[in-house]
Amino acid sequence: MIRLIAAIDQKRGIAKDGEMPWDIPEDEAYFTSQTKKYGGQVLTGSKTFELAYKNKPLADRHNYILTHKSVEILGATVVNDLKEFLEKMNRDQLDVWVAGGAGVFEQVMKLGFADELYLTEIDADYKCDQFFPAYKSDFKLVNDSGLRQQNGHKFAYKIYSK
């Protein structure tokens, strides 16, 4: 199963100038908790790995980093061919979390590999410059936490399925 996980604003924004423009510790804990489930395998693009994770693999998870470069990353497995990687995960019946960035989300969805979306929908517009792909026509809402609030941000955890 391939699951995409992201926090998005009202316009599907996920980042501004390489960073998330909100501070919601509860959502960070949710991300950590969710991505440790189902085997704890997380795929991240190289820019997200560099900017959001400061070049440090996520603790207690198997990290895969998508890059076109031929490099070694301590504590992670480098992935150079996204389609081949996703096909292998499906063939081997392994679960993987796709944790960004925008280009990786878009590629996974265009290739048709996204089975579920775990989205934290934030009720605000942060004028982001990176966006999660359109999804509502291809996925149906299967779980909604209801509105929550922290640090002045209103948000809900939602799960969508194909």
Side-chain angles (χ1 to χ4, degrees), residues 21-103:
W22 48 78
D23 177 26
I24 307 174
E26 182 182 326
D27 181 55
E28 291 174 25
Y30 176 79
F31 174 88
T32 298
S33 168
Q34 293 303 311
T35 57
K36 287 182 178 181
K37 290 181 179 178
Y38 311 112
Q41 301 190 93
V42 182
L43 172 71
T44 306
S46 59
K47 286 183 186 175
T48 298
F49 180 70
E50 177 186 332
L51 297 173
Y53 305 158
K54 311 293 186 224
N55 291 311
K56 293 180 183 171
L58 299 172
D60 303 321
R61 283 154 280 186
H62 188 102
N63 292 257
Y64 296 93
I65 310 302
L66 180 65
T67 180
H68 297 293
K69 297 175 184 172
S70 180
V71 296
E72 284 189 36
I73 300 173
L74 189 62
T77 301
V78 171
V79 174
N80 296 120
D81 186 319
L82 179 62
K83 184 177 181 188
E84 181 182 298
F85 171 77
L86 295 172
E87 286 173 344
K88 180 182 181 343
M89 294 305 247
N90 274 344
R91 185 174 53 251
D92 295 347
Q93 297 184 345
L94 297 172
D95 293 303
V96 67
W97 291 95
V98 178

Side-chain angles (χ1 to χ4, degrees), residues 88-146:
K88 180 182 181 343
M89 294 305 247
N90 274 344
R91 185 174 53 251
D92 295 347
Q93 297 184 345
L94 297 172
D95 293 303
V96 67
W97 291 95
V98 178
V104 178
F105 289 138
E106 184 177 344
Q107 290 177 63
V108 171
M109 289 179 73
K110 277 187 179 177
L111 288 168
F113 282 99
D115 298 307
E116 292 181 337
L117 311 177
Y118 281 63
L119 301 177
T120 301
E121 295 183 3
I122 305 168
D123 189 23
D125 176 5
Y126 293 90
K127 310 289 187 235
C128 292
D129 54 23
Q130 296 292 309
F131 298 89
F132 193 85
Y135 59 93
K136 291 199 174 178
S137 63
D138 296 324
F139 292 84
K140 64 179 179 202
L141 181 65
V142 295
N143 196 320
D144 183 342
S145 71

